[in-house]
Amino acid sequence: MPKRILQGKVVSDSRDKTVTVLVERRFTHPMMKKTVRKTKKYTAHDAENRARIGDSVRIQECAPVSRTKRWEVLA
């Protein structure tokens, strides 16, 4: 099964080897027929500590690295 890849913006890089990425998805509401934006935060593993706040990054599913990290930052 292929691994999911999402794109988002780094909102926190204060922890070592960890970044918080805000991913936004847009869809049309089934009843209102209006475009709706939903956001979700993912905790991702950043081994080299390269990502900084405001960077646009791609994250990919991976095996659990810690209790909260199931995603990794793609180079």
Side-chain angles (χ1 to χ4, degrees):
M1 189 168 154
K3 296 181 179 180
R4 289 184 294 164
I5 296 176
L6 301 174
Q7 185 168 356
K9 186 174 265 192
V10 177
V11 291
S12 173
D13 64 351
S14 59
R15 291 173 285 175
D16 188 36
K17 297 185 181 181
T18 304
V19 291
T20 303
V21 181
L22 185 77
V23 176
E24 179 184 287
R25 69 183 188 97
R26 293 174 182 227
F27 62 95
T28 304
H29 191 279
M31 194 165 140
M32 304 296 183
K33 307 299 184 201
K34 181 179 177 181
T35 302
V36 182
R37 294 189 304 180
K38 278 207 173 192
T39 59
K40 185 170 180 182
K41 289 181 183 178
Y42 294 92
T43 305
H45 184 65
D46 182 20
E48 290 88 31
N49 284 323
R50 277 196 228 152
R52 296 284 168 243
I53 293 178
D55 289 354
S56 181
V57 294
R58 294 172 66 205
I59 56 175
Q60 175 180 326
E61 275 184 312
C62 67
V65 180
S66 72
R67 185 168 66 98
T68 58
K69 291 196 283 188
R70 271 88 175 127
W71 295 85
E72 62 186 352
V73 175
L74 294 177

